[in-house]
Amino acid sequence: MRPTLFALALLATTPLLASAAKPELSTLAERTGYQQTGRYDEVIALCEAYQQAFPKAVRCFDFGISPQGRPMKALAVSTSGALTAEDAKARNIPVVLAQGGIHAGEIDGKDAGFGLLRDLLQGKVGKGLLDKQVFLFVPVFNVDGHENFKAWNRPNQRGPAEMGFRVTAQRYNLNRDYVKADAPEMRAMLALVNAWDPLATLDLHVTDGAKFRHDISVTGDPVNVGDAELRSAGKALRDGIIARLQQQGSQPVDFYPSFAGYDDPASGFIETAYTPRFSSGYFPLRNRLVMLIETHSWKTYPVRVRSTYNALLDTLELVARHGSQWRQAELDADTRAAQLAGQPVALDYKTTDAKRIINFLGYAYKRVPSEISGSDMVVYDERTPQLWMLPLRDTIVPGLSVNAPKGGYLVPAEHAAQVGEALRLHGIDFRTLETPLANAAVQAFDADSVKFSAAPVEGHQRTTLSGQWTSTTANLVAGALFVPIAQPKARLLMAMLEPQAPDSIAAWGGFNNSFERKEYMEAYVAEEQARLMLAKDPALKAEFDAKLKADPAFAKDPMARLDFFARRHPAWDKGYNRYPVLRSDVAP
């Protein structure tokens, strides 16, 4: 039996690797029986204290500065002697990244991680684990949000008494920002990831949702998405964590327990493949493992911290045993990704209607009329456990797939700064063309449908495009970018530059100017030109007459009829609705 967190907090032992000084390593959470959690100054103090207490095993460092000027702290922890990214890479030592507080009200990971670090370093648990890996711990990712600190920041959560807030000081939701990387905090995190290249990342959260008995969910990828051969490693990590959690007394599930129908337990669950705005959708596109650890919000804070503590320890045990094998699988996936040219690649995924019935540990509940909302409300009875038999849809298949370009992407010089900055953030290779390209054979994407979101999302007007790539020629001035598809992050590259990818630069509104009409033909001019065009081109007249007969809505719409001719006139703006990034079959 592993000792409980409370027992570990009370044990007084001599650190195996401690220096002569013995700084305070306990947290406010431990000292208050997990009724409270500390402020961010505690993170700063503990980071330095661990380095002082274990100078050969811990390096405390800043990896960024928040918009409000706070240092973003990380701890590299290992007894292998590798405490820098360069040393870990040179010695092929696997790195496990655990990030707490991406949503700063969901702060279990911070207190669980600090408790686990002390217990590992003092030899109470996991002896030898840190000899075989680097544990890269970010106690709080959203540091400014952490200091937006008060009770009721998480109204659907039991404890601690006060906590941080979901979004950053600039009101970015960091777990919607991975691929678009608007927030300075996310840009700092991506630099950390690029430097350390973790074998596995653990994103530590707390759920919202209904009241039930399961205390933790473990989901992640690649399990349903990404490189097909790497999915066995993702499943092994997920299933290994779940098996160990069960032995430790948890009741885990391997899907995110959010009802298919809002506030309706009988509706069951739908497993989702996340897009790369989320951590769990981002890392598979880099051919790396990621696990989303979600404790259940209605469990008490000490129970949630214990579950998170165990999940972290379980991951380190699994990586100590299988890390070399999984790392080779990731490197093999890198090689395969660099050979995707011309092959179909899924841009998004969907869940099929196939379902199975599962046992789910719930509570008795009833629906009663509410005089507040005027509709029915759900009332759970936590004194009465109940076994729910619920449908689960968890068969995930590719949605939209496109063939990867045979050569790569060409970014015109006028968009090079914007796109180049985004590619650099993610460590994607590209080069700048020093000479012009004349009459280059390319493919261009012309949108036949453009839908702008009615409301902003994360400060963007999102855009949904449909259309197709067609062959054409283009002239590009010096300063254009060539982004080869032959590179390990090919899937991530396509997620950013394919216009129909759900989290592409285009989807986040980065090229909306290209889909706004800038020049017009006055109606009286279109009338005049249409008559001249019909007189000169019998085939055009036949096409127009046929459309009038076949399309009643068109026939009744004066502006659509005039637009028919405007689009075929030499004055038509060919840049309108053309996606500015091009594809090429060859490297220039």
Side-chain angles (χ1 to χ4, degrees):
M1 294 287 292
R2 290 196 175 99
T4 67
L5 284 173
F6 294 126
L8 294 175
L10 295 173
L11 289 174
T13 59
T14 302
L16 298 179
L17 302 171
S19 62
K22 296 179 181 178
E24 177 61 59
L25 298 179
S26 70
T27 61
L28 178 64
E30 292 170 305
R31 296 192 299 272
T32 62
Y34 294 90
Q35 299 307 301
Q36 300 178 41
T37 190
R39 300 294 294 265
Y40 193 64
D41 57 1
E42 179 183 73
V43 172
I44 296 172
L46 282 172
C47 190
E48 298 296 339
Y50 270 92
Q51 180 173 268
Q52 180 184 347
F54 306 99
K56 294 183 179 179
V58 178
R59 184 169 71 91
C60 168
F61 64 99
D62 296 355
F63 69 95
I65 299 291
S66 76
Q68 291 185 339
R70 294 183 177 91
M72 299 177 69
K73 291 290 185 180
L75 295 89
V77 185
S78 181
T79 49
S80 68
L83 294 179
T84 66
E86 294 77 14
D87 285 346
K89 182 177 181 180
R91 297 172 58 182
N92 293 318
I93 296 174
V95 176
V96 174
L97 168 62
Q99 63 177 34
I102 189 171
H103 295 152
E106 305 167 24
I107 205 58
D108 307 15
K110 176 190 69 174
D111 289 319
F114 275 127
L116 177 61
L117 284 186
R118 186 188 60 244
D119 296 343
L120 286 167
L121 292 164
Q122 293 180 346
K124 297 175 184 177
V125 298
K127 292 184 179 180
L129 294 183
L130 294 175
D131 294 341
K132 300 176 181 179
Q133 60 199 303
V134 177
F135 184 31
L136 185 61
F137 179 44
V138 176
V140 181
F141 183 1
N142 178 10
V143 299
D144 290 343
H146 186 280
E147 291 307 280
N148 183 358
F149 197 83
K150 62 182 180 180
W152 290 105
N153 268 343
R154 291 277 294 162
N156 310 308
Q157 178 177 299
R158 285 190 174 125
E162 296 178 294
M163 70 288 289
F165 194 56
R166 182 177 184 85
V167 298
T168 71
Q170 296 175 323
R171 298 193 65 80
Y172 285 116
N173 182 339
L174 291 175
N175 204 29
R176 306 296 184 271
D177 198 38
Y178 261 89
V179 74
K180 66 183 177 67
D182 286 330
E185 296 95 330
M186 182 56 72
R187 295 179 177 219
M189 177 59 73
L190 292 175
L192 186 76
V193 168
N194 288 336
W196 285 88
D197 191 17
L199 165 79
T201 296
L202 300 180
D203 192 4
L204 308 174
H205 287 255
V206 183
T207 67
D208 287 315
K211 293 181 179 179
F212 47 74
R213 286 178 282 157
H214 295 279
D215 60 313
I216 191 169
S217 71
V218 181
T219 60
D221 273 303
V223 171
N224 298 299
V225 308
D227 183 89
E229 293 184 44
L230 187 58
R231 295 178 192 181
S232 60
K235 291 176 183 176
L237 177 56
R238 181 199 64 186
D239 295 347
I241 296 170
I242 287 174
R244 283 165 168 76
L245 285 171
Q246 289 171 332
Q247 294 170 0
Q248 293 154 352
S250 279
Q251 297 173 321
V253 293
D254 62 357
F255 56 91
Y256 186 83
S258 179
F259 295 134
Y262 177 72
D263 208 23
D264 181 8
S267 65
F269 306 101
I270 302 174
E271 188 172 5
T272 302
Y274 291 97
T275 62
R277 74 185 72 172
F278 300 90
S279 64
S280 50
Y282 176 76
F283 284 97
L285 300 184
R286 296 178 71 118
N287 308 313
R288 298 298 181 261
L289 308 182
V290 61
M291 289 293 132
L292 181 66
I293 308 297
E294 294 261 7
T295 55
H296 183 41
S297 61
W298 291 112
K299 297 298 180 182
T300 62
Y301 194 50
V303 169
R304 299 202 316 268
V305 172
R306 182 177 69 245
S307 298
T308 304
Y309 175 106
N310 287 336
L312 290 169
L313 179 56
D314 298 339
T315 301
L316 296 179
E317 290 177 346
L318 289 161
V319 170
R321 179 175 297 184
H322 304 290
S324 296
Q325 171 192 345
W326 291 344
R327 187 54 158 186
Q328 188 58 54
E330 291 179 339
L331 296 176
D332 291 343
D334 286 348
T335 300
R336 289 189 294 272
Q339 299 170 351
L340 283 174
Q343 298 183 37
V345 175
L347 297 182
D348 66 4
Y349 293 83
K350 60 185 180 182
T351 306
T352 71
D353 292 332
K355 63 184 178 182
R356 55 192 177 93
I357 303 300
I358 62 168
N359 294 334
F360 193 79
L361 303 177
Y363 294 108
Y365 69 94
K366 58 184 178 181
R367 289 187 174 277
V368 298
S370 168
E371 69 278 14
I372 302 298
S373 66
S375 64
D376 287 347
M377 61 178 285
V378 177
V379 178
Y380 295 94
D381 180 3
E382 295 181 78
R383 300 166 299 178
T384 308
Q386 191 176 77
L387 181 66
W388 297 345
M389 307 288 287
L390 299 179
L392 170 64
R393 292 167 50 197
D394 61 352
T395 301
I396 294 173
V397 298
L400 175 65
S401 294
V402 301
N403 290 337
K406 295 179 180 178
Y409 296 92
L410 287 164
V411 182
E414 58 269 27
H415 297 285
Q418 172 195 2
V419 176
E421 179 185 17
L423 297 175
R424 287 187 198 95
L425 286 171
H426 298 282
I428 293 174
D429 294 332
F430 64 92
R431 61 184 172 88
T432 302
L433 304 185
E434 298 180 356
T435 57
L437 282 180
N439 296 317
V442 298
Q443 293 95 48
F445 183 92
D446 289 300
D448 53 37
S449 173
V450 179
K451 296 180 180 178
F452 297 115
S453 64
V457 181
E458 289 287 297
H460 293 256
Q461 183 183 34
R462 283 181 51 81
T463 306
T464 302
L465 304 173
S466 65
Q468 60 185 355
W469 293 99
T470 56
S471 296
T472 185
T473 60
N475 296 311
L476 298 171
V477 302
L481 308 181
F482 175 68
V483 194
I485 194 66
Q487 57 179 304
K489 297 187 183 79
R491 284 189 177 84
L492 179 57
L493 168 59
M494 292 184 68
M496 296 174 68
L497 293 189
E498 280 296 325
Q500 293 177 284
D503 279 335
S504 66
I505 297 174
W508 281 105
F511 298 113
N512 277 3
N513 239 4
S514 297
F515 308 107
E516 298 174 13
R517 194 164 177 178
K518 304 295 185 179
E519 185 59 273
Y520 301 83
M521 182 179 286
E522 296 285 358
Y524 72 89
V525 177
E527 292 273 8
E528 183 180 276
Q529 291 297 311
R531 286 170 172 74
L532 294 173
M533 294 165 69
L534 289 172
K536 293 179 180 178
D537 191 342
L540 178 63
K541 185 177 188 308
E543 183 185 357
F544 180 60
D545 291 342
K547 190 166 181 63
L548 289 173
K549 293 178 181 179
D551 189 343
F554 171 79
K556 295 177 182 178
D557 187 340
M559 295 308 297
R561 292 170 64 149
L562 291 177
D563 192 62
F564 175 91
F565 294 98
R567 289 175 179 272
R568 289 159 176 78
H569 192 275
W572 180 253
D573 175 12
K574 294 183 179 179
Y576 174 50
N577 279 355
R578 171 160 287 187
Y579 176 57
V581 177
L582 306 169
R583 295 177 20 148
S584 174
D585 286 344
V586 297

